[in-house]
Amino acid sequence: MLVSFQPQNSYRFVVTNRACAKSALAIFRKPRHKMGRTPGETKRSIKVSGRVKKISTEKSKIPDLEDLFLKEKGIEDFQEDLLHWYHVSRRKLPWRGDIPPYSVNKTPTSDRHVVVNPYATWVSEIMLQQTRVETVIDYFNNWMKKFPDVASLARATPDEVNAAWAGLGYYSRARNLHKGAKMVVKDFNGRVPSSQNELLSIP
């Protein structure tokens, strides 16, 4: 007979017979110091006669992100530090406006050379879903040569879009990108919108 207990002290035991169940219940009723534990301990093995297994232990308090990083600094200082780290350590990639050779490893790089337009950022974000960076680089460059802007993508046929996407998989991403380009041309005069609500309306 399998019996499961999960008492308030956050210990959980799986008991395989009635005798062990009684032993486990007796232990649960004892104060912690009676079991050889002191307040504040988060992990300890407890032996019980019979086939009793401890599956989980007490949860330890984990500080929030704000407590770790923003206790001595304000949010603006933290943002500046984060942006500085990115500019120093970011990888060289085509959708960031860099020129070859590209770097898929996290090594220090120089500043970008080309201003990236929102359409290129959009394409890269869709391609990078569940796909490795080193795989996307060539596909992104070929795509931007074939469809350099939203209007050219909107004019393309489904077969042309699928051909440019062939090999990346998850073809629904290409279909939605094509559908979204048509919507941007129709509803936003061919310019990728900048507001959150408008961006969320795009497939």
Side-chain angles (χ1 to χ4, degrees), residues 128-180:
L128 287 165
Q129 293 173 5
Q130 303 183 44
T131 308
R132 296 177 64 86
V133 169
E134 53 265 36
T135 301
V136 170
I137 290 176
D138 289 339
Y139 279 92
F140 175 84
N141 288 331
N142 292 334
W143 181 280
M144 295 304 295
K145 289 177 182 177
K146 187 167 291 187
F147 312 120
D149 49 38
V150 177
S152 59
L153 177 57
R155 290 193 301 267
T157 66
D159 289 341
E160 290 173 331
V161 172
N162 287 334
W165 197 272
L168 269 181
Y170 301 100
Y171 285 83
S172 60
R173 296 181 296 173
R175 291 193 295 270
N176 287 332
L177 191 57
H178 191 201
K179 188 187 302 182

Short mmCIF file of all heavy atoms in Angstrom, two decimals, residues 128-180:
data_model
loop_
_atom_site.label_atom_id
_atom_site.label_comp_id
_atom_site.label_asym_id
_atom_site.label_seq_id
_atom_site.Cartn_x
_atom_site.Cartn_y
_atom_site.Cartn_z
N LEU A 128 15.34 33.83 -35.52
CA LEU A 128 16.08 33.31 -34.38
C LEU A 128 15.23 32.53 -33.39
O LEU A 128 15.75 31.98 -32.42
CB LEU A 128 16.77 34.47 -33.64
CG LEU A 128 17.98 35.06 -34.37
CD1 LEU A 128 18.36 36.41 -33.76
CD2 LEU A 128 19.17 34.11 -34.30
N GLN A 129 13.94 32.45 -33.63
CA GLN A 129 13.09 31.65 -32.77
C GLN A 129 13.41 30.16 -32.97
O GLN A 129 13.25 29.62 -34.05
CB GLN A 129 11.60 31.91 -33.09
CG GLN A 129 11.14 33.31 -32.74
CD GLN A 129 9.73 33.58 -33.21
OE1 GLN A 129 9.03 32.70 -33.72
NE2 GLN A 129 9.28 34.81 -33.04
N GLN A 130 13.88 29.52 -31.91
CA GLN A 130 14.22 28.09 -31.92
C GLN A 130 15.25 27.73 -33.00
O GLN A 130 15.24 26.61 -33.52
CB GLN A 130 12.95 27.25 -32.10
CG GLN A 130 11.90 27.51 -31.04
CD GLN A 130 10.69 26.63 -31.18
OE1 GLN A 130 10.81 25.43 -31.42
NE2 GLN A 130 9.52 27.20 -31.03
N THR A 131 16.12 28.67 -33.36
CA THR A 131 17.15 28.43 -34.37
C THR A 131 18.45 29.05 -33.91
O THR A 131 18.46 30.18 -33.41
CB THR A 131 16.73 29.02 -35.74
OG1 THR A 131 15.42 28.55 -36.07
CG2 THR A 131 17.71 28.59 -36.82
N ARG A 132 19.55 28.34 -34.10
CA ARG A 132 20.85 28.81 -33.63
C ARG A 132 21.35 30.00 -34.44
O ARG A 132 21.06 30.14 -35.63
CB ARG A 132 21.87 27.67 -33.71
CG ARG A 132 21.54 26.49 -32.80
CD ARG A 132 22.53 25.38 -32.98
NE ARG A 132 23.86 25.78 -32.59
CZ ARG A 132 24.33 25.71 -31.33
NH1 ARG A 132 23.56 25.23 -30.38
NH2 ARG A 132 25.56 26.10 -31.04
N VAL A 133 22.12 30.86 -33.77
CA VAL A 133 22.63 32.09 -34.38
C VAL A 133 23.46 31.78 -35.62
O VAL A 133 23.30 32.41 -36.67
CB VAL A 133 23.45 32.89 -33.36
CG1 VAL A 133 24.20 34.03 -34.05
CG2 VAL A 133 22.54 33.45 -32.28
N GLU A 134 24.38 30.81 -35.51
CA GLU A 134 25.26 30.52 -36.64
C GLU A 134 24.50 30.02 -37.86
O GLU A 134 24.95 30.18 -38.99
CB GLU A 134 26.34 29.52 -36.23
CG GLU A 134 25.82 28.25 -35.61
CD GLU A 134 25.79 28.32 -34.10
OE1 GLU A 134 25.51 29.40 -33.55
OE2 GLU A 134 26.07 27.27 -33.46
N THR A 135 23.33 29.41 -37.64
CA THR A 135 22.50 28.96 -38.76
C THR A 135 21.79 30.12 -39.42
O THR A 135 21.63 30.17 -40.65
CB THR A 135 21.46 27.93 -38.26
OG1 THR A 135 22.15 26.82 -37.67
CG2 THR A 135 20.59 27.43 -39.40
N VAL A 136 21.38 31.07 -38.62
CA VAL A 136 20.55 32.18 -39.13
C VAL A 136 21.36 33.17 -39.96
O VAL A 136 20.81 33.80 -40.88
CB VAL A 136 19.85 32.89 -37.95
CG1 VAL A 136 19.18 34.18 -38.41
CG2 VAL A 136 18.83 31.96 -37.31
N ILE A 137 22.63 33.33 -39.70
CA ILE A 137 23.42 34.38 -40.34
C ILE A 137 23.28 34.35 -41.86
O ILE A 137 22.95 35.37 -42.50
CB ILE A 137 24.90 34.29 -39.93
CG1 ILE A 137 25.05 34.68 -38.45
CG2 ILE A 137 25.76 35.19 -40.80
CD1 ILE A 137 26.46 34.53 -37.92
N ASP A 138 23.55 33.21 -42.49
CA ASP A 138 23.48 33.13 -43.95
C ASP A 138 22.04 33.32 -44.46
O ASP A 138 21.82 33.97 -45.48
CB ASP A 138 24.03 31.80 -44.44
CG ASP A 138 25.54 31.71 -44.28
OD1 ASP A 138 26.19 32.77 -44.18
OD2 ASP A 138 26.07 30.57 -44.23
N TYR A 139 21.09 32.74 -43.76
CA TYR A 139 19.69 32.88 -44.17
C TYR A 139 19.25 34.35 -44.09
O TYR A 139 18.54 34.85 -44.98
CB TYR A 139 18.78 32.02 -43.30
CG TYR A 139 18.73 30.58 -43.71
CD1 TYR A 139 19.59 29.64 -43.15
CD2 TYR A 139 17.82 30.13 -44.67
CE1 TYR A 139 19.55 28.30 -43.53
CE2 TYR A 139 17.77 28.81 -45.06
CZ TYR A 139 18.63 27.90 -44.49
OH TYR A 139 18.59 26.58 -44.88
N PHE A 140 19.68 35.02 -43.04
CA PHE A 140 19.32 36.42 -42.90
C PHE A 140 19.90 37.26 -44.03
O PHE A 140 19.20 38.09 -44.63
CB PHE A 140 19.81 36.95 -41.54
CG PHE A 140 19.59 38.43 -41.35
CD1 PHE A 140 18.38 38.92 -40.91
CD2 PHE A 140 20.62 39.34 -41.62
CE1 PHE A 140 18.17 40.28 -40.74
CE2 PHE A 140 20.43 40.70 -41.45
CZ PHE A 140 19.21 41.17 -41.01
N ASN A 141 21.18 37.06 -44.32
CA ASN A 141 21.82 37.84 -45.39
C ASN A 141 21.17 37.58 -46.75
O ASN A 141 20.93 38.51 -47.52
CB ASN A 141 23.31 37.51 -45.45
CG ASN A 141 24.08 38.10 -44.28
OD1 ASN A 141 23.70 39.14 -43.74
ND2 ASN A 141 25.16 37.45 -43.88
N ASN A 142 20.86 36.32 -47.04
CA ASN A 142 20.20 36.00 -48.31
C ASN A 142 18.79 36.59 -48.37
O ASN A 142 18.35 37.07 -49.42
CB ASN A 142 20.14 34.48 -48.50
CG ASN A 142 21.51 33.88 -48.71
OD1 ASN A 142 22.43 34.55 -49.19
ND2 ASN A 142 21.67 32.61 -48.34
N TRP A 143 18.09 36.53 -47.24
CA TRP A 143 16.73 37.08 -47.19
C TRP A 143 16.74 38.58 -47.45
O TRP A 143 15.92 39.09 -48.20
CB TRP A 143 16.13 36.78 -45.82
CG TRP A 143 14.71 37.26 -45.63
CD1 TRP A 143 14.29 38.53 -45.32
CD2 TRP A 143 13.53 36.46 -45.72
NE1 TRP A 143 12.94 38.57 -45.21
CE2 TRP A 143 12.44 37.31 -45.45
CE3 TRP A 143 13.30 35.12 -45.99
CZ2 TRP A 143 11.12 36.86 -45.46
CZ3 TRP A 143 11.99 34.66 -46.00
CH2 TRP A 143 10.92 35.52 -45.74
N MET A 144 17.67 39.29 -46.82
CA MET A 144 17.72 40.74 -46.97
C MET A 144 18.14 41.14 -48.39
O MET A 144 17.77 42.23 -48.86
CB MET A 144 18.67 41.34 -45.95
CG MET A 144 18.23 41.16 -44.50
SD MET A 144 16.57 41.81 -44.15
CE MET A 144 16.82 43.56 -44.42
N LYS A 145 18.89 40.28 -49.07
CA LYS A 145 19.21 40.56 -50.47
C LYS A 145 17.98 40.39 -51.36
O LYS A 145 17.76 41.16 -52.30
CB LYS A 145 20.33 39.64 -50.95
CG LYS A 145 21.69 39.95 -50.36
CD LYS A 145 22.74 38.95 -50.83
CE LYS A 145 24.10 39.22 -50.21
NZ LYS A 145 25.10 38.20 -50.62
N LYS A 146 17.18 39.38 -51.05
CA LYS A 146 15.99 39.10 -51.85
C LYS A 146 14.83 40.01 -51.49
O LYS A 146 14.09 40.47 -52.36
CB LYS A 146 15.59 37.64 -51.66
CG LYS A 146 14.46 37.18 -52.57
CD LYS A 146 14.31 35.67 -52.56
CE LYS A 146 15.51 35.04 -53.25
NZ LYS A 146 15.35 33.56 -53.43
N PHE A 147 14.67 40.28 -50.19
CA PHE A 147 13.57 41.15 -49.72
C PHE A 147 14.16 42.25 -48.83
O PHE A 147 14.12 42.15 -47.60
CB PHE A 147 12.54 40.34 -48.93
CG PHE A 147 12.09 39.07 -49.60
CD1 PHE A 147 12.30 37.83 -48.99
CD2 PHE A 147 11.47 39.09 -50.84
CE1 PHE A 147 11.90 36.66 -49.59
CE2 PHE A 147 11.06 37.92 -51.46
CZ PHE A 147 11.28 36.70 -50.83
N PRO A 148 14.74 43.28 -49.43
CA PRO A 148 15.46 44.29 -48.64
C PRO A 148 14.59 45.19 -47.78
O PRO A 148 15.10 45.89 -46.90
CB PRO A 148 16.20 45.10 -49.71
CG PRO A 148 15.39 44.92 -50.95
CD PRO A 148 14.83 43.54 -50.88
N ASP A 149 13.28 45.22 -48.07
CA ASP A 149 12.39 46.07 -47.28
C ASP A 149 11.01 45.41 -47.17
O ASP A 149 10.75 44.37 -47.77
CB ASP A 149 12.27 47.47 -47.89
CG ASP A 149 11.97 47.43 -49.38
OD1 ASP A 149 11.19 46.55 -49.81
OD2 ASP A 149 12.52 48.27 -50.13
N VAL A 150 10.14 46.03 -46.40
CA VAL A 150 8.81 45.48 -46.16
C VAL A 150 8.02 45.37 -47.46
O VAL A 150 7.32 44.38 -47.71
CB VAL A 150 8.04 46.34 -45.14
CG1 VAL A 150 6.63 45.80 -44.93
CG2 VAL A 150 8.77 46.37 -43.82
N ALA A 151 8.13 46.39 -48.31
CA ALA A 151 7.36 46.41 -49.56
C ALA A 151 7.73 45.25 -50.47
O ALA A 151 6.85 44.60 -51.06
CB ALA A 151 7.56 47.74 -50.28
N SER A 152 9.02 44.95 -50.59
CA SER A 152 9.44 43.86 -51.46
C SER A 152 8.97 42.51 -50.92
O SER A 152 8.61 41.61 -51.69
CB SER A 152 10.97 43.85 -51.61
OG SER A 152 11.60 43.71 -50.36
N LEU A 153 8.93 42.36 -49.62
CA LEU A 153 8.41 41.12 -49.03
C LEU A 153 6.91 41.01 -49.25
O LEU A 153 6.39 39.93 -49.57
CB LEU A 153 8.73 41.07 -47.54
CG LEU A 153 8.20 39.86 -46.77
CD1 LEU A 153 8.70 38.55 -47.38
CD2 LEU A 153 8.59 39.94 -45.30
N ALA A 154 6.21 42.12 -49.10
CA ALA A 154 4.75 42.10 -49.29
C ALA A 154 4.39 41.75 -50.73
O ALA A 154 3.36 41.11 -50.99
CB ALA A 154 4.16 43.46 -48.91
N ARG A 155 5.21 42.14 -51.71
CA ARG A 155 4.93 41.85 -53.12
C ARG A 155 5.28 40.41 -53.50
O ARG A 155 4.82 39.92 -54.54
CB ARG A 155 5.73 42.81 -54.02
CG ARG A 155 5.26 44.25 -53.98
CD ARG A 155 5.90 45.04 -55.12
NE ARG A 155 7.36 45.01 -55.05
CZ ARG A 155 8.10 45.94 -54.44
NH1 ARG A 155 7.51 46.96 -53.84
NH2 ARG A 155 9.42 45.84 -54.43
N ALA A 156 6.06 39.75 -52.69
CA ALA A 156 6.53 38.40 -53.04
C ALA A 156 5.39 37.40 -53.02
O ALA A 156 4.37 37.58 -52.34
CB ALA A 156 7.62 37.97 -52.05
N THR A 157 5.56 36.33 -53.76
CA THR A 157 4.58 35.24 -53.77
C THR A 157 4.90 34.27 -52.63
O THR A 157 6.04 34.23 -52.15
CB THR A 157 4.61 34.49 -55.10
OG1 THR A 157 5.88 33.82 -55.23
CG2 THR A 157 4.42 35.44 -56.28
N PRO A 158 3.92 33.49 -52.19
CA PRO A 158 4.20 32.49 -51.15
C PRO A 158 5.32 31.53 -51.53
O PRO A 158 6.11 31.13 -50.68
CB PRO A 158 2.86 31.76 -51.00
CG PRO A 158 1.84 32.78 -51.40
CD PRO A 158 2.48 33.56 -52.51
N ASP A 159 5.39 31.17 -52.80
CA ASP A 159 6.45 30.26 -53.23
C ASP A 159 7.83 30.90 -53.09
O ASP A 159 8.80 30.23 -52.70
CB ASP A 159 6.23 29.84 -54.69
CG ASP A 159 5.04 28.90 -54.85
OD1 ASP A 159 4.64 28.29 -53.83
OD2 ASP A 159 4.52 28.80 -55.97
N GLU A 160 7.93 32.19 -53.40
CA GLU A 160 9.21 32.89 -53.25
C GLU A 160 9.62 32.98 -51.79
O GLU A 160 10.80 32.81 -51.45
CB GLU A 160 9.11 34.29 -53.86
CG GLU A 160 9.00 34.30 -55.38
CD GLU A 160 8.73 35.68 -55.92
OE1 GLU A 160 8.10 36.51 -55.22
OE2 GLU A 160 9.14 35.94 -57.07
N VAL A 161 8.65 33.23 -50.93
CA VAL A 161 8.94 33.32 -49.49
C VAL A 161 9.39 31.96 -48.96
O VAL A 161 10.38 31.87 -48.23
CB VAL A 161 7.70 33.82 -48.73
CG1 VAL A 161 7.92 33.74 -47.23
CG2 VAL A 161 7.37 35.26 -49.14
N ASN A 162 8.67 30.91 -49.34
CA ASN A 162 9.03 29.57 -48.87
C ASN A 162 10.40 29.14 -49.39
O ASN A 162 11.16 28.47 -48.68
CB ASN A 162 7.97 28.56 -49.30
CG ASN A 162 6.68 28.70 -48.50
OD1 ASN A 162 6.68 29.18 -47.36
ND2 ASN A 162 5.57 28.29 -49.10
N ALA A 163 10.73 29.54 -50.61
CA ALA A 163 12.03 29.18 -51.18
C ALA A 163 13.16 29.86 -50.42
O ALA A 163 14.22 29.25 -50.18
CB ALA A 163 12.08 29.56 -52.66
N ALA A 164 12.96 31.11 -50.02
CA ALA A 164 13.99 31.83 -49.27
C ALA A 164 14.13 31.28 -47.85
O ALA A 164 15.19 31.38 -47.24
CB ALA A 164 13.65 33.33 -49.22
N TRP A 165 13.06 30.66 -47.36
CA TRP A 165 13.05 30.14 -45.99
C TRP A 165 13.47 28.67 -45.93
O TRP A 165 13.76 28.15 -44.85
CB TRP A 165 11.65 30.29 -45.39
CG TRP A 165 11.59 30.16 -43.90
CD1 TRP A 165 11.44 29.01 -43.18
CD2 TRP A 165 11.66 31.22 -42.94
NE1 TRP A 165 11.41 29.28 -41.83
CE2 TRP A 165 11.54 30.63 -41.66
CE3 TRP A 165 11.81 32.60 -43.05
CZ2 TRP A 165 11.57 31.40 -40.49
CZ3 TRP A 165 11.83 33.35 -41.89
CH2 TRP A 165 11.72 32.75 -40.62
N ALA A 166 13.52 28.01 -47.05
CA ALA A 166 13.74 26.56 -47.11
C ALA A 166 14.98 26.15 -46.32
O ALA A 166 16.07 26.70 -46.53
CB ALA A 166 13.88 26.10 -48.56
N GLY A 167 14.80 25.22 -45.40
CA GLY A 167 15.90 24.73 -44.58
C GLY A 167 15.87 25.22 -43.15
O GLY A 167 16.48 24.60 -42.27
N LEU A 168 15.16 26.32 -42.89
CA LEU A 168 15.09 26.84 -41.53
C LEU A 168 14.05 26.12 -40.68
O LEU A 168 14.13 26.13 -39.45
CB LEU A 168 14.76 28.34 -41.55
CG LEU A 168 15.94 29.32 -41.58
CD1 LEU A 168 15.44 30.75 -41.58
CD2 LEU A 168 16.87 29.09 -40.41
N GLY A 169 13.06 25.52 -41.35
CA GLY A 169 12.02 24.82 -40.61
C GLY A 169 11.00 25.77 -40.01
O GLY A 169 11.12 27.00 -40.11
N TYR A 170 9.97 25.18 -39.37
CA TYR A 170 8.89 25.98 -38.76
C TYR A 170 8.38 27.02 -39.76
O TYR A 170 8.47 28.24 -39.54
CB TYR A 170 9.36 26.66 -37.48
CG TYR A 170 9.84 25.71 -36.41
CD1 TYR A 170 11.20 25.48 -36.22
CD2 TYR A 170 8.93 25.02 -35.62
CE1 TYR A 170 11.64 24.59 -35.25
CE2 TYR A 170 9.36 24.13 -34.64
CZ TYR A 170 10.71 23.92 -34.46
OH TYR A 170 11.15 23.04 -33.50
N TYR A 171 7.83 26.55 -40.86
CA TYR A 171 7.46 27.44 -41.97
C TYR A 171 6.33 28.39 -41.62
O TYR A 171 6.10 29.37 -42.35
CB TYR A 171 7.10 26.59 -43.20
CG TYR A 171 8.31 26.01 -43.88
CD1 TYR A 171 8.89 24.83 -43.43
CD2 TYR A 171 8.91 26.66 -44.96
CE1 TYR A 171 10.02 24.29 -44.04
CE2 TYR A 171 10.04 26.14 -45.58
CZ TYR A 171 10.59 24.96 -45.12
OH TYR A 171 11.71 24.44 -45.72
N SER A 172 5.64 28.15 -40.54
CA SER A 172 4.60 29.10 -40.13
C SER A 172 5.21 30.46 -39.82
O SER A 172 4.56 31.50 -39.97
CB SER A 172 3.84 28.57 -38.91
OG SER A 172 4.71 28.38 -37.82
N ARG A 173 6.47 30.48 -39.41
CA ARG A 173 7.15 31.76 -39.15
C ARG A 173 7.25 32.57 -40.44
O ARG A 173 7.01 33.79 -40.44
CB ARG A 173 8.54 31.51 -38.58
CG ARG A 173 8.55 30.84 -37.22
CD ARG A 173 9.97 30.66 -36.70
NE ARG A 173 10.75 29.76 -37.53
CZ ARG A 173 12.06 29.54 -37.37
NH1 ARG A 173 12.73 30.18 -36.42
NH2 ARG A 173 12.71 28.70 -38.15
N ALA A 174 7.60 31.91 -41.53
CA ALA A 174 7.71 32.61 -42.81
C ALA A 174 6.35 33.10 -43.29
O ALA A 174 6.22 34.22 -43.81
CB ALA A 174 8.35 31.69 -43.86
N ARG A 175 5.34 32.25 -43.12
CA ARG A 175 3.99 32.65 -43.55
C ARG A 175 3.50 33.86 -42.77
O ARG A 175 2.91 34.79 -43.33
CB ARG A 175 3.03 31.47 -43.40
CG ARG A 175 3.27 30.34 -44.38
CD ARG A 175 2.12 29.35 -44.39
NE ARG A 175 1.98 28.66 -43.11
CZ ARG A 175 2.59 27.53 -42.81
NH1 ARG A 175 3.39 26.95 -43.70
NH2 ARG A 175 2.41 26.94 -41.63
N ASN A 176 3.74 33.85 -41.46
CA ASN A 176 3.31 34.98 -40.64
C ASN A 176 4.11 36.24 -40.93
O ASN A 176 3.57 37.35 -40.90
CB ASN A 176 3.43 34.63 -39.15
CG ASN A 176 2.37 33.65 -38.70
OD1 ASN A 176 1.27 33.60 -39.26
ND2 ASN A 176 2.67 32.86 -37.69
N LEU A 177 5.38 36.07 -41.23
CA LEU A 177 6.20 37.22 -41.60
C LEU A 177 5.70 37.84 -42.90
O LEU A 177 5.62 39.08 -43.04
CB LEU A 177 7.66 36.78 -41.74
CG LEU A 177 8.73 37.87 -41.87
CD1 LEU A 177 8.68 38.83 -40.69
CD2 LEU A 177 10.12 37.23 -41.96
N HIS A 178 5.35 36.99 -43.86
CA HIS A 178 4.81 37.46 -45.13
C HIS A 178 3.47 38.17 -44.92
O HIS A 178 3.23 39.26 -45.46
CB HIS A 178 4.64 36.26 -46.07
CG HIS A 178 4.34 36.64 -47.48
ND1 HIS A 178 3.74 35.78 -48.38
CD2 HIS A 178 4.55 37.80 -48.17
CE1 HIS A 178 3.60 36.38 -49.54
NE2 HIS A 178 4.09 37.61 -49.44
N LYS A 179 2.62 37.55 -44.11
CA LYS A 179 1.31 38.15 -43.81
C LYS A 179 1.49 39.48 -43.08
O LYS A 179 0.77 40.46 -43.35
CB LYS A 179 0.50 37.18 -42.95
CG LYS A 179 -0.95 37.59 -42.73
CD LYS A 179 -1.64 36.66 -41.74
CE LYS A 179 -1.61 35.22 -42.23
NZ LYS A 179 -2.33 34.31 -41.29
N GLY A 180 2.45 39.52 -42.15
CA GLY A 180 2.69 40.75 -41.42
C GLY A 180 3.20 41.87 -42.30
O GLY A 180 2.83 43.04 -42.13
#
